[in-house]
């Protein structure tokens, strides 16, 4: 399954959320349909990976809640690393005022996203800026962030959603050190990954070595019970979340 299929499948899951009854919806993403490539048979992916759809729904809600908590706690910058077709900067009212949002991704991915919004005559908020970077290239993340104005440490929420599985260990290490260096006390980093891509203990150790304080993250089974009900289907243990906070100092 290629990355295009994965991106289309994620967009399909997010677009379908809006068709659920309001009391069952975990989030609302009116922009997801812009990125759902209906020519692709993403059902294959849903059939191939148990819990795929649930995991996208639950992680989207989990990261949305992390954004809400951070903004409530006074964070003024949210950086979406590997933002892809994430539309939080548009769809979350919490991010429309007094919060700076930076999206980091490959240059062509950013261009495609901007093109889809432009074709749909959707104006991007002034609070949103973009940083193009190939995170596999040493130094590119820091350079991209600096070009978007992020040069000095601040209180930041870093969201690395659906990203870590695409990176090598040196790239994950650089992600951890670069984000730690730009994070003042009160910053948080949230991420997710498949346990077949990365062992949770490897990811935790990599971020801890870089100065992040790795804290307990919920399991997907816990999130399922919280948001979707007591009958948890198999497959949730294949996916993991990371929550790290910047240490005192
Ligand atoms: C599966 S998508 C997830 C997108 C989004 N965060 C979401 O959850 O909908 C992974 C994103 O990471 C980006 N990505 C993967 N490898 C990257 C790299 N080396 N440098 C920059 N971005 C990368 C891809 O371009 C893509 O937009």
């Amino acid at each position: 399954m290629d990355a295009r299929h994965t991106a289309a499948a994620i967009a399909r899951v997010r677009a379908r959320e809006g068709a659920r009854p309001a009391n069952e919806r975990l989030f609302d993403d009116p922009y997801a349909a812009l990125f759902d490539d209906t020519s692709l048979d993403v059902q294959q992916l849903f059939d191939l990976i148990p819990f795929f759809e649930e995991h996208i729904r639950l992680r989207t809600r989990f990261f949305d809640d992390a954004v809400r908590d951070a903004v409530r706690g006074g964070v003024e910058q949210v950086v979406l690393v590997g933002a892809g077709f994430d539309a939080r900067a548009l769809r979350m009212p919490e991010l429309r005022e007094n919060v700076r949002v930076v999206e980091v991704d490959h240059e062509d991915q950013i261009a495609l996203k901007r093109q889809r919004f432009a074709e749909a005559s959707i104006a991007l908020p002034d609070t949103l800026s973009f940083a193009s970077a190939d995170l596999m290239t040493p130094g590119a993340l820091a350079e991209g962030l600096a070009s978007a104005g992020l040069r000095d440490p601040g209180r930041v929420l870093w969201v690395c959603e659906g990203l870590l599985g695409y990176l090598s260990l040196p790239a994950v290490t650089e992600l951890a050190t670069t984000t730690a260096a730009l994070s003042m006390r009160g910053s948080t980093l949230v991420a997710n990954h498949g346990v077949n891509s990365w062992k949770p203990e490897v990811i935790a150790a990599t971020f801890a070595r870089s100065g992040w304080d790795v804290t307990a993250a919920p399991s997907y089974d816990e999130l399922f019970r919280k948001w979707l009900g007591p009958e948890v289907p198999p497959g949730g243990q294949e996916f993991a979340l990371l929550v790290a906070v910047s240490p005192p100092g």
Side-chain angles (χ1 to χ4, degrees), residues 14 59 82-84 105-106 109 133-136 161-163 166:
R14 296 205 177 122
R59 85 181 197 200
D105 212 303
H106 287 296
Q109 185 80 328
D134 179 352
L135 304 178
M136 296 290 274
E161 184 179 13
L163 173 70
Y166 294 95

Side-chain angles (χ1 to χ4, degrees), residues 62-224:
F62 179 76
F63 291 128
D64 282 2
D65 284 345
V67 168
R68 281 188 272 266
D69 287 349
V71 172
R72 254 197 311 271
V75 155
E76 288 167 354
Q77 300 177 92
V78 174
V79 184
L80 305 162
V81 193
F85 302 140
D86 179 326
R88 287 192 175 89
L90 288 91
R91 70 179 172 80
M92 291 193 71
E94 294 83 354
L95 293 181
R96 299 302 298 267
E97 278 175 34
N98 304 324
V99 180
R100 183 153 180 250
V101 182
V102 179
E103 297 195 357
V104 182
D105 212 303
H106 287 296
E107 194 171 1
D108 58 346
Q109 185 80 328
I110 293 173
L112 174 63
K113 182 178 194 173
R114 296 184 74 136
Q115 183 191 332
R116 293 277 169 87
F117 279 124
E119 284 165 358
S121 304
I122 294 168
L124 298 176
D126 295 341
T127 45
L128 173 62
S129 52
F130 296 92
S132 61
D134 179 352
L135 304 178
M136 296 290 274
T137 303
L141 177 59
E143 213 174 289
L145 292 171
S147 73
L150 275 176
R151 292 184 188 87
D152 301 315
R155 285 194 63 193
V156 186
L157 172 70
W158 306 90
V159 180
C160 310
E161 184 179 13
L163 173 70
L164 300 187
Y166 294 95
L167 303 182
S168 63
L169 186 57
V172 174
T173 304
E174 185 170 326
L175 173 67
T177 51
T178 305
T179 52
L182 288 170
S183 296
M184 277 171 32
R185 184 177 185 177
S187 300
T188 302
L189 181 144
V190 285
N192 71 295
H193 60 93
V195 300
N196 291 326
S197 308
W198 292 109
K199 287 188 178 151
E201 54 273 27
V202 171
I203 290 298
T206 304
F207 279 84
R209 262 196 305 274
S210 304
W212 284 103
D213 195 353
V214 176
T215 64
S219 69
Y220 279 89
D221 286 359
E222 285 166 340
L223 290 180
F224 190 99

Side-chain angles (χ1 to χ4, degrees), residues 47-67:
D47 295 342
L48 207 64
I49 308 177
F51 210 78
F52 181 85
E53 183 161 15
E54 292 86 348
H55 132 262
I56 300 297
R57 294 183 67 204
L58 291 167
R59 85 181 197 200
T60 304
R61 174 60 187 245
F62 179 76
F63 291 128
D64 282 2
D65 284 345
V67 168

